[in-house]
Amino acid sequence: MMKYLSLIIILAGAYLAVPLQFGGNDYVIGIVVSALTIAGIAVAWAMLGNLGGMISFGHSAFFGVGAYGSALLAMNAGLPVFPSILAGGVIAGVVSILTMPTLRLRGPYFALAMLAFAEIFRILAIEMRWLTNGSGGLLSIPRLPTVFGFDFGSRLGGYFVVLTLVLLTVFVYWLIRNRPEGLALRAMHDSEDATLVVGVNATRLKAAVLVVSAFLTGIMGAFNAHYINFLEPDYAFNGSWTTLAIVAAIFGGYKTLWGPVAGALIVYLVDQFVFKAIMPSGHQLILGGLLAAIVIFSPSGLLPWLASRFRKEAGDAAHP
Amino acid sequence: MFDLVAQSVFSGLLAGAYYALIALGLALVFGTMRIINLAHGELVLLAGYIAYTAESRFGLDPLAALPAAIIIVALTSVIIYLLLTRIRVDREINSLILTFGIAIMLTNGILMIWSADIRSTTSGWYLDSIIIGDTLFAMNTEILFAVIGVLVVGAVWWWLSKSWYGRALRAVSSNRDAAKLMGIDPRTTEILSFAVAGLLASIAGIALYSGKVIEPSLGHSLTIKAFIITVLAGLGSVPGVLIGAVLIGVAESLTATLWSSALQGLVSMLLFLIVLLVMPSGLFGRTRRRG
Amino acid sequence: MLLTLDHVTVAFGGLVAVSDVSFSVSEHEVLGLVGPNGAGKTTLFNAISGLVRPSKGKMTFCGHDLTGIPIHKRARIGIGRAFQVPQPMHELTVRENLIVAQHFGTGHSNPGKIDEILDLTRLGHKANRDAASSLALTEQKALEVGKALATNPRMLMLDEVLAGLETNGKRAFMQTLDDARQRFGVALLMVEHDIETISNTCQRVLVLNFGKLIADGSPEEVFRNPEVIRSYTGGETA
Ligand SMILES: Nc1ncnc2c1ncn2[C@@H]1O[C@H](COP(=O)(O)OP(=O)(O)O)[C@@H](O)[C@H]1O
Ligand SMILES: [Mg+2]
């Protein structure tokens, strides 16, 4: 009951209070949109991390592929923007099949192999000039359309779109998590033999979750392309898409449903509004420190930590 | 054409010995503790910036900055180790994330102290070129650090296989508990390996500064290069590091000559992926008892 | 025949853990597998469930040659396994453990059967609350059996599931197993050290010693066999 109530409050706040309060301030809304974009990647990343047990350092590849895929389809094939965002996600999902051989690698090797893939995609985006216009980048990518008189191409319109995309991403994650496949995936890392002997095909499930994660990351990339209307390889394939998502997910708690979202909002907004004001260059130093501190002091992240504090307080109150 | 290829192979060999310097510290820690220090490239870069400061502020030769670089970088490396020992759960993945966080801190720290401008040495001698056997060109710095690279690889190899500390380190890495019973303190030897990794990073950083340009964001790609070489080398093999490094150096150099310099990076990434993926899982996997 | 092993050998490097073993299990049979520690019983189970690969020999189950069948497909054809060291899916609840086993082991979902298993294994009161890793050892053992049952096995391999239980616990657990057999009609292949339990429940007993099958027959015959007695007194008391 409490759960549904808080969900409704959060949704109302996100769809009503934020636009009413900040709707006129493009600067603030712009930063919130970036935070939500990172939240979306962070959720998709955490899905692979939590369900697949695989920490990827290469999600910028899927972000970039989704961005370029959607932009090119809209520009060259004249696809309307919303369908082409979906197609961008599909392309990222298909491309992730190329990375599937890495699934047989263990933890750190998987992480770094994905990093190598991300680097390869970045170089390809620069080199395949006939398709991507290389370092010159893509200009005037079609913006989000006006529907029923509401301009989704505005900052505020972008906010509603990215907010909805993030919520859908969380919803997909939630659906998968509670299906037997999701349960089996969660069980797989520390109970591998137990899942094998009851018939779980670990390889196939991991591959599936990789595709879904890549698809969702690609969608965020595709949205971003149409939101900023401009792409270049060093932007779309920038490693910081991965870095920020990892910091956000680990900080919020990558094994929880909402941790990555909370982490992205807190980390990115505080970074932009506070740290950046205090020290204009090198403010990400604090993010690095935060990541290190979380790993040392509360490896399961902020939300689980808060939950345990809360439970403890409640317990203390009950037995004074 | 032949001259071009010969020159390219020669440059690749020199680059390889320099790459070995960059990779050796990472390979040492990885080989003995199975920890991938994602801040290793930043340590190398830090030493490079110390050399820059020594040169630009105090008018010293980059090489003269070595003692100061060793002290600062080795200390930083040991601090990283001490932080790593605080990890309680999921050591393998969390050590990766922790060192990743430290790498972000170092990159931004360097950015704050030295700004985003690119820097390179002003000592002309390093960048002067010499001609060997009428046809082959090289910069003094390339020759110097190639020689140093080979010597250092030899020294580390000797240290690990022949000296008491080296053997203690290997004992700890193969069986921590057994080593304890033999009276070896694992912490001491592990601290030592991080300190030595810092020392090696310092030498590499000076080589970097005296031959290339440096900028704060460079650390990441240095780490990746070091890790690629470590994987090519095979777990914990010191001579393997030199071979892997030379392989990468020559492959990159030939790609640039025969194809396009933009594709250099692609070649080392592909080599890396191929080695990772065809590697028998036995090398990295654990064999465990089941049932 | 349900299961047939034909000259099966499993070696770890130089160590031959299972040596040239042949036997078969028929539908609905209750078969004991005994032998001192290190005799190769668990390894034999691993070979049948696919966790280790035999170096020689052939295994068939329900007419399927097991050689080419990967581990995860063996549950589907009816091989169930309860591990000696319980391996719950730690992060999941008891019910979720059973849901996963049923979904992947049978290909469809049947909540009624899960309730039945919860009831049978006396885990109903713990089904939805805590992670399986917080269960007591006896409960984890019950869950081992429950997971295996949820896959609709035709044969259930039980690796020392009674070890560590006191007499009453043993009796209750045996009752559970017997109920399961009545209800689901599975054959049981059970490793057990307690000779009395084996004699009371099994129609047939296999004895393994140093990886070799040294006896195969009714409990009365087998436990009178001098070689079997020697293997027990010479080896561990267990
Ligand atoms: N994965 C393994 N690697 C090497 N040796 C093993 C492995 N598993 C079992 N063994 C060895 O095989 C023999 C049989 O062990 P096991 O099957 O566990 O015996 P039991 O279950 O009858 O007590 C023992 O000597 C054991 O040490
Ligand atoms: Mg056993």
Side-chain angles (χ1 to χ4, degrees), chain A residues 57 101 104 106 108-109 112 115-116 119-120 123 127 192-193 243 250 281-282 284-285 288-289 292 295 297 299, chain B residues 30 36 38 86 89 92 94 97-98 101 104-105 108-109 111-112 224 227 262 266 269 272 276-277 284 288 290:
Chain A
F57 278 166
R104 51 186 285 270
R106 235 154 38 80
Y109 309 102
L112 293 156
L115 187 66
E119 185 61 15
I120 289 173
I123 296 173
E127 290 306 305
E192 193 188 343
D193 286 346
T243 312
I250 302 268
S281 92
Q284 290 198 342
L285 182 113
V295 170
F297 295 112
Chain B
F30 182 58
I36 301 166
L38 287 183
R86 307 279 309 265
V89 292
E92 205 170 27
N94 278 336
I97 295 171
L98 177 64
I104 299 174
M105 291 174 77
N108 285 280
L111 179 66
M112 285 169 77
I224 297 176
F227 185 69
L266 207 58
M269 291 298 159
F272 169 63
L276 262 189
L277 292 175
F284 289 140
R288 67 209 151 82
R290 307 173 96 160

Side-chain angles (χ1 to χ4, degrees), chain B residues 15-25 149-150 152-153 204 229 241-243 245-246:
Chain B
Y18 152 72
Y19 286 162
L21 275 177
I22 293 182
L24 207 49
V150 172
V152 167
V153 168
I229 291 166
V241 169
L242 188 59
I243 295 168
V246 163

Side-chain angles (χ1 to χ4, degrees), chain B residues 288-290, chain C residues 12 15 17 36-43 84:
Chain B
R288 67 209 151 82
R289 191 158 300 188
R290 307 173 96 160
Chain C
F12 299 108
L15 178 93
N37 275 326
K41 305 177 297 289
T42 298
T43 305
Q84 177 173 3

Side-chain angles (χ1 to χ4, degrees), chain A residues 68 71-72 75 122-141 228-237:
Chain A
Y68 267 92
L72 289 170
M75 291 170 75
R122 194 184 63 79
I123 296 173
L124 288 179
I126 296 173
E127 290 306 305
M128 289 164 61
R129 257 170 243 119
W130 53 274
L131 184 66
T132 64
N133 193 31
S135 314
L138 300 177
L139 303 172
S140 10
I141 297 167
I228 61 161
N229 318 116
F230 163 76
L231 281 182
E232 59 175 4
D234 281 334
Y235 170 81
F237 290 90

